[in-house]
Every structure is written in structure tokens, then in C-alpha cells.
Amino acid sequence: MIVLLLAVALPFLAVPVILALRRQPNPREAASLLASVGTFVLVASLIPSSLAGAPAAGDVVAVAPGLSIGFRADLLGLLFASVASLLWIPTTVYSIGYMRGRKEHAQTRYFACFASVIGATMGVALAANLFTLLVFYEILTISTYPLVAHEGTAEAHRAGRKYLIYTLGGGAAILAGLAISFGSTGDVAFVEGGNPSLATLPPETIQGIGALLLAGFGVKATLFPLQGWLPSAMVAPTPVSGLLHAVAVVKAGVFGILRTVFFFVGPGLTGSLGLQSVLLTLAVATILYGSFLALTQDNLKLRLAYSTISQLSYIVLGAALLSPAGLLGAAFHIAAHGFAKLSMFFVAGSIALETGKTRISELDGIGRRMPGTMVAFAIAAVAMASLPPMAPFVSKWYLSVGAWEAGQWLPVLVLAISSVLNVAYFFPIVVRAFFFGAPGGRGEGTRPVYGPVLATALGALVLGVWTALPFGPFEIARSLARGLFP
Amino acid sequence: MSVFVPPFLVYLLGAPLLLLLRGRARQVCLVALAAVGAAVTFLLGEGTGWSVRFMEYDLVLLRVDRLSLLMGYIFSLITLLAALYAAAFARPRLHLYALLYAGTNIGAVFAGDFVTLLLFWELMAITSTLLVWELGADAVPAGLRYLLFHVFGGALLAGGIAAHFLEAGNLAVGPVSGGWSSVLIALGAGVNVGFIPLHTWLPDTYPRAHIASSVFLSVYTTKAAVYLFARAQPGVEAIALMGGVMALYGVSFALVQNNMRKLLSYHIVSQVGYMVAGVGLGTAAGVNGGMAHVFNHILYKALLFMAIGAVIHATGRETMDRLGGLGRKMPVTAATFWVAAFAISGVPGFNGYVSKGMVIDAARDLLPLRILLEAAAFGTFLSFLKVGYFVFLRPGEVEGRDPPATMRVAQASTAALCVVIGLVPSLLFGLLPQGNTYDPWDPSHLLDAVLVLAAAAGTFLAVGRTWLLPHEPRVKDADVAYLATGRGTAAAATALLDTSRHVYQAFVATIARIGHASRRSQTGDLNWNLVGLAIALALIVSWLLWEMA
């Protein structure tokens, strides 16, 4: 219980420390690093007991009867929390190199907000009920805003405003759903297979609650047509774009959808009340929409953003299939996509740092200048195409099996088309980097920047090959799926 | 003495060594690795094993039976011969990618379960793309198009295997019967095998790679797909007929080509059509014929690419319109070319005659297929007379010399195998999956072949030297459709982006307009505000009263 609370609290405790150390950059960064390592260790330590069927749990404070801030380290929560906290470590290292390399302003604010975001993510992941999740979900939104608008330019402010309008709007929808369900049943806890008290409500009410929650979470999950905030948010510094918008913030959205479908409304009601077909349709639409629009973007980070929009709906698709393999694929993809996409964002930032270039049309020959970096990008591109030996191959396999389990053929076709589109918009970058253009000097980027590039790409490879990694995301996803579909 | 080690390990683990060596040492290492791989394969004993846990399944990395041994023998043998050929070029990455590619294919044919096969299938796509790209320049965009096709095919195959897994409850490589699984696996394998119109990647890519790469490329991917059909879907008449279509379509496009390797590439489509036809017929004779043709085709097709590659290497020219007179200047190449040309055309005494005859014989009950295959045979000999005449026989001034020693040895050895198997076909019959009842020396089969060959020869002598004069072909293949699709997709994407922007901006503008409009209701006039307040109160009170009633 202490470990559980500390896992959520530690990043928040780092915030005042970081603020206090604002005049001493090295100790300040050390605080971030210590907090990131510590958080991951705490989260990881909770995994064995959860796999054994005895998840740590505890309430912190009861705000009202039936409405409490409480945490529970169940399998889905630990999967998300462990991935986010683990990836915070290389992101912190990367941030040091990146922010100092660009001599960025307001670094204290940056690192402090970052820590707060991670803390909020832990809160979302480990929340035992919808109320706790919403509280931390909103903290997540607020903490991210200064990071999105970090540059302080007019464009950054516009992006930040757009981000707030979208995400606070989504939060309002979740609040409405929470209010209706709490008002009707007085019980908003997450329960494996769905909260039973919800089932006592009339079907229209459940549909309303489900629609509000799914729409609310759908904003952060960049579900069509609510994805518009993500491309604009690419104006943020690259490590922000990477971890927050490829790993933490957006994954909080899909995580919320997973919680709603499997732990609140429940798969049975999601299917019988028509929410499944809506979710499936939107997921398929988003997968295709994101990939098509990625083709049109010359700005590298924007292309990555649209790819993220598409890939996130792999997870929503898996959830919407309401089948064991679908859930396994969806949950595993949280990890698989996270590592690979973060690596790509790191590469984008590294290139911008070394050469000042942000447009793909300028990147001819960059592979000869930064070969290691571009090889990492290449293997991450292999991952985006869901090819072995990278981790998303495993996700794609289980999503396909899950589709057939649900009697659906369209997802299989859509996944095939999406794989081809991913090749179509990522591989020309690789190809132009290595085969075209003239080399001009060598420079991979400083070690704090280059190391995380390689580490995250390697992580995606390891996860794809060593599925039997003890306490790894595959084992957690598998136990999760088995537990929910005995 | 027998071994039980998956041969793919030799290639995949050994290939990176090539990057650590230089010069002669690397050449030796390349050939040595291929030799070890072949030795391991030829020493394999039958059985199943090498289980590895991946995802939730126990994969079977090694399944040795007659069918997989046949594939393993020919794959490892041709790897050795192609390695000898490629050793002449100081291109370390070519050697690396070629061995990796060979290894993934050998892994696929010895796979004991569908997930292992799928893994190797996708790795085949990656390694062959790298092999194509190795040359740079023109090969780069072609390799990208190639990758698009193969990723799509692989994804369909994955979907089909997933469906089959659910239906069958296990992953063992075997016959597939469900609705979706059959269709998706057929389409996925169909991309690799070159079903019309999924074949365009083949003539697009193979001519553009390095000449040594083309030798490797020509032998694996399509034949691994034939193997998959033999395991998963033998005996499907639609597939057999598609084989016939491939045979005739391929040879028709080949006949009008000017670029020599593009001509050979279309012949791959055509010859693979024979294999697909044989397997599609599903009878013992059909499957035997199809698999025998796999074996023989690999030998003579690799030899064709070797010989033509030697011509390109010596002259610097890829097209026939500016060649000629090389028969005397490059005697070894010319001789090995003619051996391969006779083999592919089915001239008695060469290996192709045996297996082509087996397939055509197996098709005797399916007349449309029989006609397609015979017509394709006619076109095959005709087009190789064209190549042979315009490159080697007719007078020409272009300079050329026979290639270096390793390449000559590779060519000669492959040619020798084509002749030996042609004269002693029982060597091959012993390897076939089913017991063989076909007698290649039966007079009816001989007559059949001789008639077709004579017709083709006569046609060439009469009109071939003028009608088939090499020039840039005016016909376009299905590439046109794919390029249009690509351009259409890009255009649709841009349109989608613009529409999205307009919708979003319209939405924002509407909200802003509502906001502006509602501002006007703030008159600041106390009287109007009181009126509004009174109306609102009246509405609320009446609603409350109505609710209470």
C-alpha cells in the first residue's frame, strides 16, 4: 500500500525539489532522474504481486460517501504505469541533452511540469475508480499545458489553447458521465468485467454514460473526429512531443477507453448496447484517417503525429473487439508502440538539434551524417509497419486473431492497408536518408541525445523478440486477457 | 551420419561475419558459409524439433520431411552456386544481405508451424528489399515499391494464418480449408508467387538490382510461395488455372522486352505459372510435376541470370538492341546460356523438359489449362531464340569477355546440373514428395515437346529476326494501375487534409459567429434585461407547476 501511494506521489514530490534547485541545473536534473528511476522501481515492484492475483490497493481519502481517492495496482494499470515510468528515464536523459543543446529557456518550469505530468499519469494508471482517474486526468491536462505552450510564441499559445479546449472539453464529458453514474448508483469503482451496479440502470442511461466516457477519453486518445489537437501540439519541444503525446498523454486516453470498456461498463454491455459498433467504426476510421494524412506532411514531427493518431486506434480497435486476443494485442501495443514511436521522436529532435532541419524534404543524405540515428529510425519504421522482429508484430498478430474471434474481417484488411501506408510514409524517409543527397560531416548528436535514441529502438526490438521477458508487458497483457476472459 | 540443426542458423548467424573480413578472406567466408549451409541441409534427418517459446505458442523451427527436404536441397545448393558467382564482386553488404535472404527462405521451408513460417516470410521481404537497395540509384525506388507489395502480401498472409489458427485450433503447417483463411492465405502467397495482376513487382525490381543480387532474387521468394501452396492449398482448380494464365501472360510480356533481365523476370512469372498449375491440380502427378519444376527452374533460371549478368558486366549494356556477336567473344557464357535456354524451353535432354512435361501431362484432363501451358511453351522457346540470336549469334561490334573464374565455375557447374538431371531424371524423381510414374522418354511426350519446339524454331527462322527485333516495348503492364492508385491515394490524402481543415475552420467560425450574435443580446438596457428575467421566471414557474401536477 505504501509502495503504491509512493509510486504516485514520488513524481509530485520531485516538483518542489526541482523548483528549489532552479539555480543549480545539475542537481535539479539529478532530482528528475532519481525520481524517474525511483518511480519505475516502485511500479515494477508491484508487478509480481499483481500477477499472482493479489494486487496492492488502498484508499487515500474519502471525499464523499462512495467517492474516494483510491488506488489499485491491477494488471492493466501496471502495464501502463510501468511503460510510462520506464520511458520517463530515457526521456529525462534526452531532455537534458536537448534542452541544454538548444539553450532553452524556462528549463526549471519544463522539468517541474514534466514530473507533474508523470505523477498524474501514475495516478491515472493506478486509479481504483473513475473519480480518482478523472482527478488525475485533469491534473495531467493542466500539467501538460505549460509544456505544450513552452516556446511562448503566438503559435505555441494557439496550440496550447486548442489543446486545453479539446482536453478540458473531454474532461467535462467524463465528468458528466461520472456524475450520472455516481448519481444513479453511488459506486464508480473499476471492477474486472464491468461495475455490476451499472448494469442495474436503464439501457439508455448506460448508453449515455458510456458515450460520454468514451467521447471524453476519445479526445486524448485522438479518436476521429477529436484528434485535431495533436498535430497542433507538435509545436512543443520534442521530448514533450515524444513522451507526452506518443506515450503518456495519449495513452492515458486509450487507457481510459480500456478502463471504460472492460472495468466500468463491461464488455457485455458495451457489446449489447451498440457502443461496440460505434467504437469499432471510429477506430477503423481513425486508423485510415491518420495514415492517409501522414502521407501529406512534410514536417517530420507532424508526420509522426498523424502516425500516432493512426496507431493509437490500433489499441481502441483491440478494445472494441471485446475478445481476449484483441485485448492482449491492444494492451501490448501500449508498450510496443510507445518504445518505437518515442525513438522516432527522439530522432526527429536529434536531427533538429544537429542540423536545424525539420522538414523531410531537407533530409536527403542525413543517414550518412548520422548513420546510427537513422538506423534506429529505420528499425522503428519496421516496427510501425508491424514487421518482425519488432514488437508491434506481436500486437498485429493478436489484433488479427482477436478480429476473427469477434467474427470481424474488416479490421484484418484495415491493418493490412495500414501496414502498407506506414511503409509508404516512413520508408521514403529512410531511403532518402541513406541513398540520396550528399554526406556532409559526421555527427550523431551528443551522448545524452543519442543514447536514448538507441535505447528506445532497442527496447522495441527486445520486446518483439523476447516475449517471455519475466514481468514484461507481454506477460502482463496475457494475464490481463486471461483474467478478463477466463 | 545425420544432423538435426536448422540450416537457417548457419546463414543468419554466419552472415554478419562477412562484415568483419576483407578481400579474399571474405570471399572464402561467403562460399564457405554457403557450403556449410548446404552440408547441414543435405545431412538432415527426417523429423520435427527445435521448439522455441514465442508469444503464447511453442514454435517448431525444424520440420524435415520429403517436401521440405526437396526445397532445402535446392535452396542450399543454389545458394552455394550463387555465392560463388557473387564472390567475384567486392560488395560486402550484397554478400551479407544475400546470405540473410537465403537463410530466411530456408527457415521458411523448414518451418514446422505457421507462425514460424510467417516470421520468416516477413523477414524474407525485409532482407530481399535490402538486397535490392544495395545497388542504390534506380534500385531504390523500385525496392520501395517491392516492399509495399510484400508488406501487403505478408499482412494478408498473417490475417489468413490467424483465421486458420482459430478454425484449426493449432498452428501446424498443413492444409487450410476455411473460407477467409483460404482466400487470405492464397492472396498473401499470391503476391509472392506472382499471381496476375499482383506480379508487377517482379519485372519492376529484379532487373534493377545488382547482377549478382538478381541471381539470388530469382530463386527464392516465388518458390517459397509455391511451397506454401503445396502445403496449405494443393488441389484448388482456380489456382491451377491462374497458373496457366501466369504462364501465358508472363511469356507474352517477355517476348516483347528489350531489357534482358526484364525478359528473364517475366519468364519467372511464366515458369512459376507451371509450378502453380501443377500444385493447383493437386494430383500426385501434378504436385510432383510442380515441385520438380521448382527444382529444375531454380537451376536454369539462376544460370540464365548468371549468364546474362556476365553479358551485362562485360558490355555495360542491359538491352538487346545494342548487342550481338558475343557468342565467339564469350564462349563459356554463351554455352551456359544455351544450356539454360534449352532447359527452360523444355528441350529433351535438359532438366526443364522433364518437369515441364510432368506438369503438362498432369493437366491433360483440364483442357483450358493444357492449352495455356502448351502455348506458353511455344512462346518460351521463341523468346529464348530471340535472346540467343540477338545477343550471341548475330554479328555485332560490342566488346565482351568471359567473366572471372568464380563466375565461370558457378555457371558451368549449374549448367552441368541442368544436363545431368535432364539425362538422368531418376536422380530428381527420388526426391519428389510422391512416388513418380512419369516417364519422360515416352514417345508421346517426346513428340509433344519436339512439335512445340519445332513450331517455335520455325517461326523464329521465318519471321523472328524481323518481327522480334529488339526495341523498347510499347505495351504497359498492370504497373499503370498501381501507379495510378498511388497517385490517387496521394491526391485523396491531400483532399482529405484540405476538407478536414475547412470543416474545422467552418466549425470554429460558426461558434465564433454564435458568440458574436449572442453579444448583441447584451443590450445593457435594464428594461430589456427585466423583460428577459420575467420571461425566464414565468417559464420556470410554469414548468415547476406542471411537474408537480
Side-chain angles (χ1 to χ4, degrees):
Chain A
M1 162 81 172
I2 293 287
V3 173
L4 178 59
L5 296 178
L6 203 54
V8 178
L10 184 58
F12 286 116
L13 291 173
V15 174
V17 175
I18 292 170
L19 290 173
L21 290 171
R22 64 182 168 279
R23 302 226 184 278
Q24 301 159 72
N26 288 340
R28 178 188 67 198
E29 263 70 295
S32 282
L33 268 171
L34 280 172
S36 61
V37 173
T39 310
F40 174 66
V41 167
L42 288 168
V43 169
S45 70
L46 293 165
I47 296 177
S49 56
S50 188
L51 279 171
D59 275 4
V60 173
V61 55
V63 167
L67 211 58
S68 61
I69 302 284
F71 299 103
R72 187 159 155 267
D74 75 338
L75 290 168
L76 180 60
L78 283 174
L79 181 70
F80 181 31
S82 57
V83 169
S85 56
L86 179 59
L87 290 175
W88 185 24
I89 304 173
T91 310
T92 307
V93 174
Y94 186 89
S95 294
I96 296 170
Y98 184 84
M99 300 298 273
R100 294 188 185 189
R102 289 171 73 98
K103 301 192 178 31
E104 279 277 355
H105 65 286
Q107 290 193 26
T108 305
R109 180 182 76 200
Y110 171 92
F111 282 105
C113 285
F114 224 100
S116 178
V117 165
I118 299 297
T121 309
M122 295 300 113
V124 166
L126 300 171
N129 56 63
L130 186 57
F131 176 66
T132 312
L133 197 153
L134 178 60
V135 167
F136 283 96
Y137 203 77
E138 299 293 63
I139 296 177
L140 184 61
T141 300
I142 310 284
S143 312
T144 324
Y145 171 74
L147 291 169
V148 172
H150 175 92
E151 293 298 322
T153 60
E155 194 197 344
H157 281 304
R158 238 177 307 144
R161 202 164 49 231
K162 189 170 178 179
Y163 170 72
L164 276 184
I165 293 173
Y166 270 89
T167 50
L168 288 177
I174 302 171
L175 179 61
L178 169 66
I180 298 174
S181 36
F182 180 69
S184 315
T185 67
D187 176 12
V188 291
F190 291 131
V191 179
E192 266 87 353
N195 191 317
S197 56
L198 215 65
T200 61
L201 297 175
E204 300 82 32
T205 315
I206 310 178
Q207 276 172 331
I209 295 171
L212 283 167
L213 291 179
L214 291 172
F217 288 120
V219 172
K220 280 219 177 86
T222 66
L223 196 61
F224 184 84
L226 305 165
Q227 79 297 335
W229 62 274
L230 186 62
S232 311
M234 289 297 112
V235 72
T238 300
V240 174
S241 305
L243 183 66
L244 272 35
H245 300 129
V247 180
V249 169
V250 295
K251 295 285 167 48
V254 296
F255 178 80
I257 292 180
L258 283 165
R259 277 287 190 221
T260 307
V261 170
F262 290 101
F263 291 85
F264 198 66
V265 176
L269 288 172
T270 307
S272 60
L273 293 178
L275 293 167
Q276 177 190 27
S277 31
V278 172
L279 208 54
L280 264 175
T281 313
L282 289 177
V284 162
T286 313
I287 293 176
L288 293 174
Y289 180 83
S291 279
F292 270 102
L293 288 197
L295 288 169
T296 64
Q297 301 297 324
D298 191 29
N299 182 301
L300 181 56
K301 277 176 65 176
L302 278 178
R303 193 172 282 200
L304 294 177
Y306 280 106
S307 168
T308 298
I309 291 172
S310 176
Q311 293 276 337
L312 285 172
S313 277
Y314 280 32
I315 301 172
V316 179
L317 175 68
L321 290 171
L322 303 177
S323 67
L327 176 58
L328 207 173
F332 186 73
H333 205 56
I334 293 177
H337 171 255
F339 276 85
K341 189 45 73 62
L342 187 59
S343 183
M344 287 180 134
F345 272 104
F346 284 169
V347 169
S350 182
I351 292 175
L353 202 55
E354 281 300 305
T355 67
K357 298 185 182 166
T358 54
R359 314 197 72 84
I360 291 166
S361 48
E362 301 168 325
L363 295 182
D364 287 6
I366 193 101
R368 283 179 243 192
R369 175 169 175 164
M370 310 170 77
T373 304
M374 289 315 290
V375 165
F377 189 88
I379 70 172
V382 170
M384 289 295 129
S386 307
L387 294 171
M390 305 300 289
F393 170 79
V394 176
S395 329
K396 179 183 77 176
W397 166 259
Y398 277 100
L399 288 174
S400 302
V401 175
W404 296 120
E405 277 175 348
Q408 304 271 352
W409 58 269
L410 185 62
V412 177
L413 183 61
V414 168
L415 286 173
I417 296 175
S418 181
S419 293
V420 175
L421 288 173
N422 269 274
V423 172
Y425 57 75
F426 279 136
F427 273 86
I429 305 175
V430 175
V431 156
R432 295 175 73 155
F434 284 109
F435 293 109
F436 291 8
R442 279 283 288 267
E444 291 283 5
T446 57
R447 243 171 288 144
V449 166
Y450 184 44
V453 165
L454 293 180
T456 42
L458 213 63
L461 175 62
V462 167
L463 287 180
V465 174
W466 195 17
T467 50
L469 173 67
F471 309 122
F474 186 77
E475 188 180 336
I476 299 177
R478 187 158 153 256
S479 297
L480 173 68
R482 284 243 197 93
L484 279 165
F485 293 94
Chain B
M1 166 197 166
S2 87
V3 302
F4 202 70
V5 174
F8 78 79
L9 284 175
V10 174
Y11 301 96
L12 295 188
L13 295 178
L17 289 173
L18 293 171
L19 292 177
L20 302 171
L21 300 170
R22 305 222 178 296
R24 180 63 46 118
R26 192 180 52 230
Q27 282 179 314
V28 170
C29 183
L30 173 66
V31 177
L33 281 172
V36 170
V40 169
T41 310
F42 277 82
L43 290 171
L44 280 175
E46 291 199 22
T48 312
W50 283 77
S51 184
V52 156
R53 186 102 186 139
F54 180 67
M55 299 194 289
E56 296 176 296
Y57 318 117
D58 289 307
L59 303 186
V60 178
L61 295 181
L62 188 58
R63 178 246 194 117
V64 182
D65 63 2
R66 290 181 72 82
L67 188 55
S68 56
L69 273 178
L70 178 67
M71 297 301 300
Y73 289 156
I74 189 59
F75 274 174
S76 59
L77 185 56
I78 203 66
T79 308
L80 179 56
L81 295 165
L84 265 171
Y85 187 86
F89 299 95
R91 301 182 78 104
R93 278 194 297 231
L94 191 159
H95 298 156
L96 170 72
Y97 300 145
L99 279 190
L100 290 177
Y101 178 45
T104 53
N105 278 273
I106 290 180
V109 300
F110 280 117
D113 70 276
F114 270 123
V115 170
T116 305
L117 191 146
L118 180 64
L119 287 170
F120 279 118
W121 196 269
E122 307 262 48
L123 290 174
M124 274 159 57
I126 297 175
T127 50
S128 51
T129 306
L130 289 172
L131 186 57
V132 169
W133 277 341
E134 187 272 338
L135 183 61
D138 240 9
V140 172
L144 202 52
R145 295 190 287 266
Y146 174 92
L147 187 61
L148 287 169
F149 267 96
H150 282 89
V151 166
F152 188 60
L156 292 178
L157 183 65
I161 289 176
H164 170 76
F165 169 58
L166 276 183
E167 275 147 18
N170 69 74
L171 285 168
V173 177
V176 167
S177 52
W180 276 109
S181 45
S182 297
V183 169
L184 288 175
I185 291 179
L187 283 176
V191 168
N192 276 41
V193 98
F195 277 176
I196 314 299
L198 302 171
H199 67 287
T200 55
W201 55 269
L202 214 163
D204 183 26
T205 318
Y206 287 9
R208 294 193 159 103
H210 187 273
I211 53 174
S213 300
S214 294
V215 176
F216 283 97
L217 289 167
S218 68
V219 299
Y220 298 111
T221 296
T222 41
K223 319 310 176 291
V226 172
Y227 166 78
L228 180 56
F229 277 118
R231 283 283 192 206
Q233 291 175 298
V236 178
E237 190 172 295
I239 294 181
L241 286 168
M242 170 56 83
V245 169
M246 283 163 67
L248 190 56
Y249 188 99
V251 85
S252 309
F253 271 87
L255 206 47
V256 300
Q257 296 301 322
N258 189 11
N259 181 307
M260 291 181 286
R261 286 192 293 167
K262 196 156 182 177
L263 182 148
L264 292 179
S265 302
Y266 273 111
H267 273 293
I268 295 180
V269 175
S270 177
Q271 294 297 309
V272 172
Y274 282 89
M275 302 171 213
V276 169
V279 170
L281 286 166
T283 55
V287 174
N288 265 4
M291 298 315 295
H293 208 56
V294 166
F295 195 96
N296 290 331
H297 170 91
I298 287 178
L299 287 171
Y300 61 63
K301 183 53 52 115
L303 181 54
L304 281 168
F305 272 96
M306 286 186 202
I308 295 300
V311 169
I312 297 174
H313 184 63
T315 63
R317 298 181 188 179
E318 306 250 5
T319 53
M320 290 182 279
D321 54 357
R322 298 185 307 140
L323 288 172
L326 290 173
R328 240 169 257 155
K329 296 172 193 158
M330 305 177 67
V332 174
T333 302
T336 54
F337 166 79
W338 282 113
V339 168
F342 286 161
I344 194 174
S345 308
V347 173
F350 296 87
N351 61 353
Y353 162 71
V354 177
S355 47
K356 194 179 263 194
M358 288 170 81
V359 175
I360 291 179
D361 187 53
R364 63 174 170 266
D365 293 326
L366 192 55
L367 189 59
L369 183 57
R370 175 99 189 223
I371 294 176
L372 288 168
L373 296 177
E374 298 271 28
F378 169 82
T380 305
F381 194 41
L382 190 56
S383 62
F384 279 95
L385 288 170
K386 168 180 175 177
V387 178
Y389 176 74
F390 288 106
V391 175
F392 295 104
L393 291 180
R394 72 160 170 181
E397 270 115 44
V398 65
E399 281 308 308
R401 274 187 354 203
D402 265 321
T406 52
M407 289 164 76
R408 290 200 309 266
V409 168
Q411 285 170 230
S413 316
T414 317
L417 284 169
C418 291
V419 173
V420 164
I421 294 178
L423 294 175
V424 191
S426 54
L427 290 169
L428 177 56
F429 292 149
L431 298 174
L432 296 177
Q434 321 272 5
N436 181 56
T437 53
Y438 180 82
D439 176 17
W441 305 121
D442 184 301
S444 63
H445 300 141
L446 274 170
L447 188 63
D448 199 27
V450 167
L451 281 174
V452 170
L453 293 169
T459 311
F460 187 79
L461 284 168
V463 297
R465 284 168 294 178
T466 45
W467 285 10
L468 292 175
L469 192 70
H471 62 89
E472 279 315 299
R474 282 176 286 265
V475 284
K476 298 243 174 269
D477 202 348
D479 302 81
V480 184
Y482 290 115
L483 287 171
T485 311
R487 257 177 261 124
T489 309
T494 313
L496 188 61
L497 180 68
D498 291 334
T499 312
S500 307
R501 283 220 184 103
H502 283 133
V503 168
Y504 175 74
Q505 269 151 8
F507 180 72
V508 170
T510 310
I511 306 267
R513 238 176 282 134
I514 296 176
H516 278 287
S518 27
R519 266 180 67 192
R520 264 183 258 129
S521 70
Q522 302 294 318
T523 55
D525 184 324
L526 186 59
N527 295 336
W528 277 116
N529 288 352
L530 281 172
V531 169
L533 201 56
I535 295 176
L537 264 173
L539 284 169
I540 291 172
V541 168
S542 40
W543 175 72
L544 276 171
L545 288 172
W546 185 66
E547 279 290 310
M548 286 194 297

